[in-house]
Amino acid sequence: MPVLTRLVPSPVFVEIRPGALDALGGILADQRLSASGRIAVAISDGSGAVLRKRLEPALPGADWYEVTDGSIDSAVRLADQMRAGHYDAMVGLGGGKIIDVAKYAAARVGLPLVAVATNLAHDGLCSPVSTLDNDAGRGSYGVPSPIGIIVDLDVIREAPRRFVAAGIGDVISNISACADWELSHAVTGEPIDGLAIAMARSAGENVLRHPGTLDEPGLLTTLAEALVLSGIAMSIAGSTRPSSGACHEICHALDVLYPKRSAQHGEQCGLGAAFASHLRGERELTGLIVERLTHHGLPVTAAQIGFTEAEFTKAVHYAPNTRPGRFTILEHLDLSPSDIRDAYADYVQAVNS
């Protein structure tokens, strides 16, 4: 008998609206996650600590755990601290690092996780992956996706503008990542998932072609929805493939080679997507990506995030080592350092023309 349908892994609920944070207790009860209020809440010492004062009266049964960094050690420590708590659910309240730590810790102790974002810096909000610092630098760990997503647009408007803008670069890079996946399918025969590609690419296109600014609720809503769709696309694919191609390889190479100087993840991915599109000869798309990134104050050249042409060339040449076995435009062209330097010079000339 033919398979007529398939189950799509996705959050049970998604709340994206102004004031959603104030309804957190009611949402948890309504979704039958925790009528008793016995929840563990992981927070940062920054935005999370500020919001704790606001939320504590509405969550009298909660225990609060402060997370100091985004490391695997912090995630394991958090899981160990929670084991004796007999909680119904866990809430990760903060930016990407806190949510990644919370996803890993919740998986380790078998609790459903509700991700509550205080910024929109990257697509880890809803993904089945925790990116955590470790002794080797940084690693990606498979985890269950959050059971619920809450984005309070009032809170997002108070976040540092750079952290929100970075999410635009990360989502737009989906377009380049999907092109790389399709290239791999054509050249190597790697299987692709059309539904995952459709969701990831649509998320990227929705943000790329949105005329608004970060001061407008419409763009913030579109960005939050796009980040959720990106996470679901990765869950469908069973990997980061629909959202991670040459764009992310370049980003990870900058992180590895220059760990104390790397910029925001989404800033580097946006630049990587623009350059990868240039390498694929997609001049119109490259121009549109560059225009939108510039519109939102995001970098479009290496110099704008503090790297020289030689340093960026070195990173692009090293980039395939960050994802062994992944085939993108970088692996396809297999450019020498001098070829990369020439291609980047052409790219910069096109950007400045």
Side-chain angles (χ1 to χ4, degrees), residues 149-233:
I149 307 292
I150 297 177
V151 179
D152 188 328
L153 297 179
D154 292 332
V155 173
I156 299 302
R157 275 194 286 268
E158 298 298 318
R161 186 183 183 91
R162 183 183 179 190
F163 290 170
V164 181
I168 290 174
D170 202 12
V171 171
I172 286 176
S173 75
N174 285 3
I175 301 168
S176 176
C178 289
D180 278 333
W181 197 6
E182 291 173 330
L183 173 66
S184 180
H185 176 66
V187 175
T188 73
E190 178 186 356
I192 57 175
D193 189 307
L195 178 58
I197 286 178
M199 294 184 75
R201 181 180 283 139
S202 294
E205 290 281 355
N206 288 345
V207 172
L208 179 67
R209 300 181 187 279
H210 196 289
T213 67
L214 289 173
D215 298 319
E216 300 172 20
L219 178 59
L220 292 180
T221 299
T222 297
L223 175 57
E225 291 173 346
L227 293 171
V228 171
L229 287 175
S230 294
I232 296 173

Side-chain angles (χ1 to χ4, degrees), residues 284-306:
E284 183 177 347
L285 175 60
T286 303
L288 183 56
I289 291 175
V290 166
E291 189 276 326
R292 283 291 92 186
L293 294 179
T294 302
H295 175 75
H296 295 297
L298 289 160
V300 294
T301 66
Q304 290 173 348
I305 49 175

Side-chain angles (χ1 to χ4, degrees), residues 274-289:
F275 184 57
S277 297
H278 176 81
L279 291 178
R280 283 192 297 271
E282 300 169 327
R283 298 297 184 259
E284 183 177 347
L285 175 60
T286 303
L288 183 56
I289 291 175

Side-chain angles (χ1 to χ4, degrees), residues 66-85:
E66 193 169 293
V67 177
T68 56
D69 59 37
S71 68
I72 183 67
D73 289 340
S74 289
V76 172
R77 185 163 53 249
L78 175 60
D80 290 342
Q81 291 171 337
M82 292 192 306
R83 288 191 187 280

